[in-house]
Amino acid sequence: MSIKTANPSNIKDAAEIILSGGLVAMPTETVYGLAANALDGKAVAKIFAAKGRPQINPLIIHVYNAAQAERYVVMDERSRRFADHFWPGPMTLILDKREDCAVSDLVSAGLPTIGVRCPAHHVAQDLLMVCDVPLAAPSANASGTLSPTAPMHVAQSLGDKVDMILAGGSSDVGLESTIIDARGAVPLILRPGSITPEDIESAFGVKAEFGFTNPDAPTSPGQLLKHYAPNADMRLNAVDLQDDEALLAFGSIKFMGLTSGGFVKDLPNERVMNLSESGDLYEAASNLFAYLRQLDDSGFKRIAVMNIPDTGLGIAINDRLKRAAHK
Ligand code: AMP
Ligand code: MG
């Protein structure tokens, strides 16, 4: 495995690796993706093997624009409006496979649909253009663990299982894409992300509904309840801090106390990481996985997490936190 700066010459090398069946970690605005040629079943199988990912869990394919997507999937009228409005960007659309679809069946885990996204990161865009094949790319980490938002996270999690890591800075958004099934009259959000129901309503004047499994009250299998998890245990909605805990804070910690006496604000920095002191949900999302990772490495038995408002982007952050805390 080699970590390479994402310049044109290295992007060309990365494309060669992909077109000869290898795996490349690429930066995107959501998280780093583990990319393989989606048309090459053997290459796609390597993704599942490298991540230790159950094959029932379908992959998302990445394209450089909607026209490229249409070589493989059907863009109905409603989905096209979503693509026109939100692509390139952190939104995955669930679309019907075309009859002559050349994408490997492994990608969609046997479903008649494929999740498709056009990423906004210029490196991902360049790589897609040079390859000119759709790239299957889940997050570039071992299955079930924290998603990578920086090249080093990929190296630590996957090591030599990836042929090349294209380094393109930290991921801006920091959370996986919003997954939407826009084919029906009511858009269904299958995974919350940084594109919120409010964004959809203000774009089209229609209310989206949530169709994902609530980790608190699972009703259907298929969406993994334990996911995005650190090694340490997690305690959500903490209002104080116990002796064996590190703290993932949000907003002011001025008045937060330790159960054994004293104040959190007097603790060393490595035990307390604040997602956003000003309470900005976008800043919090972009810091989430990296800070969880750092606290996980701090040696504390448990990570306490302060309450994060369950509105707008907070819904997606809380979804990830609940799955991370699920036992
Ligand atoms: P990731 O792990 O970020 O690659 O996201 C993949 C997730 O996308 C899967 O776990 C599914 O929840 C969802 N997904 C992918 N393809 C489909 C599909 N065809 N239908 C429904 N959900 C899908
Ligand atoms: Mg993932």
Side-chain angles (χ1 to χ4, degrees):
M1 176 265 299
S2 57
I3 301 185
K4 294 280 173 69
T5 310
N7 59 31
S9 141
N10 289 333
I11 288 175
K12 197 166 155 277
D13 291 349
E16 269 169 30
I17 291 173
I18 282 175
L19 293 175
S20 55
L23 299 183
V24 171
M26 66 171 177
T28 84
E29 78 278 27
T30 59
V31 301
Y32 271 69
L34 182 62
N37 178 357
L39 309 182
D40 178 346
K42 273 195 194 148
V44 174
K46 284 188 196 166
I47 293 181
F48 286 93
K51 285 179 61 80
R53 180 176 171 115
Q55 294 207 351
I56 52 157
N57 196 5
L59 303 176
I60 290 168
I61 66 167
H62 295 68
V63 293
Y64 53 77
N65 60 24
Q68 190 195 15
E70 279 179 288
R71 296 184 209 159
Y72 310 99
V73 290
V74 181
M75 271 277 181
D76 58 280
E77 213 38 56
R78 293 191 181 105
S79 300
R80 182 183 305 280
R81 285 172 68 216
F82 273 74
D84 285 347
H85 194 272
F86 290 111
W87 280 358
M91 186 201 63
T92 297
L93 287 173
I94 301 299
L95 298 164
D96 292 317
K97 277 168 110 165
R98 284 171 58 124
E99 240 164 67
D100 59 352
C101 179
V103 171
S104 160
D105 284 334
L106 256 186
V107 165
S108 45
L111 296 169
T113 53
I114 305 185
V116 186
R117 180 167 106 79
C118 175
H121 198 289
H122 65 98
V123 174
Q125 279 277 339
D126 289 352
L127 184 63
L128 282 161
M129 295 287 259
V130 179
C131 290
D132 200 26
V133 294
L135 298 180
S139 53
N141 59 296
S143 185
T145 65
L146 298 169
S147 296
T149 52
M152 273 316 287
H153 301 161
V154 181
Q156 284 160 3
S157 189
L158 295 179
D160 283 334
K161 293 176 184 150
V162 47
D163 298 307
M164 184 199 278
I165 298 172
L166 272 180
S170 299
S171 302
D172 284 344
V173 176
L175 283 184
E176 301 76 6
S177 59
T178 306
I179 300 181
I180 299 176
D181 184 346
R183 293 170 298 165
V186 177
L188 264 186
I189 297 182
L190 301 180
R191 174 172 71 188
S194 65
I195 291 175
T196 62
E198 290 84 349
D199 295 333
I200 293 168
E201 193 169 358
S202 72
F204 307 124
V206 4
K207 271 202 163 52
E209 281 177 14
F210 283 121
F212 62 94
T213 310
N214 180 349
D216 286 339
T219 52
S220 72
Q223 284 182 320
L224 303 176
L225 292 175
K226 183 169 177 68
H227 208 115
Y228 317 111
N231 295 314
D233 289 340
M234 310 247 306
R235 182 168 70 92
L236 304 183
N237 300 318
V239 291
D240 54 14
L241 194 67
Q242 295 168 13
D243 282 343
D244 54 359
E245 292 178 333
L247 180 67
L248 187 65
F250 177 77
S252 173
I253 54 163
K254 213 161 149 192
F255 301 110
M256 189 168 196
L258 290 154
T259 44
S260 57
F263 284 97
V264 162
K265 66 175 167 47
D266 302 322
L267 294 174
N269 284 336
E270 57 277 13
R271 190 171 165 191
V272 180
M273 305 223 42
N274 202 329
L275 290 171
S276 171
E277 278 173 39
S278 64
D280 176 343
L281 289 169
Y282 284 86
E283 186 184 12
S286 74
N287 288 329
L288 180 67
F289 288 122
Y291 285 10
L292 268 175
R293 198 178 289 270
Q294 283 188 45
L295 293 175
D296 202 20
D297 291 341
S298 69
F300 284 87
K301 184 169 161 263
R302 198 164 42 230
I303 299 170
V305 185
M306 285 170 73
N307 178 264
I308 290 170
D310 210 28
T311 57
L313 183 53
I315 293 171
I317 298 174
N318 282 321
D319 171 72
R320 304 304 188 277
L321 285 171
K322 283 178 197 163
R323 287 179 210 278
H326 202 274
K327 294 204 174 154

